[in-house]
Amino acid sequence: MTEEAGGARPTMADVARAAGISTALVSIVMRGVPGASDATRKRVLKIADEMGYVPDQRARKLRQSSSRLLGVTFELQQPFHGDLVEQIYAAAARRGYDVMLSAVAPSREEATAVGALLRERCEAAVLLGSRLGADELTRLARRLPTLLVARHTDVPGVGVVRGDDHAGVALAVDHLAALGHRHIAHIDGAGAPGSSDRRLGFLEAMGRHGLQDSAEVLTGGLTETAGADGMRYLLARETPPTAVVAFNDRCATGVLDVLGREGRAVPGEISVVGYDDSRLAKFPHVRMTTVSQDAPRLAEAAVSGALDLVAGREAAESVFAPHLVERATTGPVPGPAL
């Protein structure tokens, strides 16, 4: 494989693509520093020689001065992402790194947020709740060590740190079933990362308690509006559920708002469980029962995983067990009216 006549000189990214590894790992081989196996070194050097790749010495000199900067994309409107960012700052600082944030918002696409990280010479990209497709992730990972938080992917070379969403929502169902609830609804996250796992976990947990016939899943979303719309739909039923498991704390906040406006007692009439244990769940006037993903632990693992990729180590997936935090929005199933 050689440079095409009249074409551009092969780049390190081209070598990485041909070798099926990250650009960071190719860089390690070219610099002759620790972090790659002998077999990988031989293979990369052979491919580079066949392609006619010649290291750019000017770029090499620039790379010798590490930016010590981790890039992080996050959804501006998601409280749990804010909690993660706070913990990522602390975890990065303990390792002598700083953090560059790039927000995703209704007015700013994720591709734009990622592009900003690339321009700022970040050493790795940590994407919170990313919605990038497999092709986009593949292209990004070839340019920059990439790690996803709170989402699974099978894209080679991309690291993953996430909570076990399937087990987490089952904890909520187990808790409600132990309180005597038989009719439980789940307002899901529609197409949000983790939604399919939580939906399946809900249905399987309901079946395990013999409640499959009363299990109900509504298409929801990540916002208060999604939770409010779902709760209004459920209240219009002749027999509403006695408990609701929302996709996240923000969705659960919408559920609680509608119940308050309708004069429905929580948890006297209807119990509500959120997900994430974000700052919303901890407000004194809310005190929401929720499933905690443990933001400090996820952040610590995310920073460690990103720096492993920077060092040329193989991408890995770390999955952590969540735990239930019981507060004031759940209680025993209401008894029959007298």
Side-chain angles (χ1 to χ4, degrees):
M1 185 187 304
T2 58
E3 179 183 340
E4 295 180 6
R9 288 175 53 183
T11 66
M12 191 178 294
D14 295 329
V15 176
R17 189 178 305 112
I21 60 176
S22 69
T23 304
L25 188 50
V26 174
S27 175
I28 284 171
V29 172
M30 294 303 169
R31 287 182 287 128
V33 298
S37 68
D38 290 341
T40 297
R41 288 183 189 280
K42 291 178 181 178
R43 186 164 63 90
V44 169
L45 291 173
K46 183 175 184 294
I47 290 172
D49 183 64
E50 291 174 348
M51 295 180 71
Y53 170 73
V54 178
D56 185 334
Q57 296 301 324
R58 291 172 301 173
R60 183 173 182 177
K61 288 180 180 178
L62 283 174
R63 286 192 297 272
Q64 285 174 345
S65 177
S66 170
S67 69
R68 309 293 290 179
L69 188 63
L70 293 180
V72 177
T73 63
F74 70 106
E75 291 199 19
L76 193 61
Q77 298 184 343
Q78 292 306 318
F80 183 58
H81 286 194
D83 296 342
L84 282 170
V85 164
E86 181 179 356
Q87 298 298 328
I88 287 173
Y89 267 119
R94 286 192 290 272
R95 294 163 173 80
Y97 273 74
D98 203 351
V99 173
M100 180 201 165
L101 298 181
S102 192
V104 179
S107 59
R108 192 171 193 250
E109 295 181 349
E110 187 175 1
T112 301
V114 169
L117 303 185
L118 293 169
R119 290 192 298 272
E120 294 298 324
R121 292 185 61 238
C122 296
E123 293 188 30
V126 177
L127 313 182
L128 308 188
S130 174
R131 297 172 187 254
L132 293 180
D135 290 344
E136 294 170 299
L137 286 173
T138 298
R139 288 193 294 270
L140 177 59
R142 286 171 177 164
R143 301 181 65 185
L144 189 67
T146 301
L147 181 137
L148 302 182
V149 179
R151 174 196 158 181
H152 170 73
T153 184
D154 291 319
V155 173
V158 177
V160 172
V161 169
R162 64 182 179 89
D164 188 336
D165 291 305
H166 187 281
V169 79
L171 292 175
V173 173
D174 292 345
H175 170 64
L176 293 168
L179 291 170
H181 293 275
R182 309 294 294 172
H183 186 184
I184 306 169
H186 174 45
I187 301 177
D188 74 8
S195 182
S196 59
D197 283 346
R198 294 182 197 180
R199 187 163 48 244
L200 180 61
F202 173 79
L203 292 172
E204 288 186 356
M206 290 291 284
R208 181 160 42 81
H209 288 284
L211 305 177
Q212 59 272 11
D213 292 341
S214 61
E216 184 170 12
V217 177
L218 274 66
T219 300
L222 289 77
T223 67
E224 293 90 346
T225 299
D229 290 346
M231 195 66 245
R232 278 192 288 266
Y233 176 83
L234 292 170
L235 288 178
R237 300 283 183 81
E238 181 177 349
T239 306
T242 63
V244 174
V245 179
F247 175 74
N248 63 8
D249 294 340
R250 193 175 170 200
C251 179
T253 299
V255 170
L256 292 170
D257 181 66
V258 167
L259 292 174
R261 292 175 185 274
E262 294 294 326
R264 302 297 185 100
V266 176
E269 293 180 67
I270 298 179
S271 288
V272 178
V273 181
Y275 205 107
D276 288 338
D277 196 25
S278 67
R279 61 195 68 189
L280 289 177
K282 300 169 186 175
F283 287 151
H285 67 284
V286 178
R287 298 183 60 236
M288 185 191 301
T289 296
T290 184
V291 178
S292 172
Q293 298 200 68
D294 197 341
R297 182 171 59 170
L298 287 181
E300 185 74 23
V303 172
S304 293
L307 294 183
D308 281 347
L309 293 174
V310 170
R313 299 186 182 94
E314 296 296 325
E317 180 172 35
S318 299
V319 182
F320 296 98
H323 64 276
L324 185 81
V325 180
E326 185 177 355
R327 296 194 180 99
T329 59
T330 53
V333 64
L338 297 178

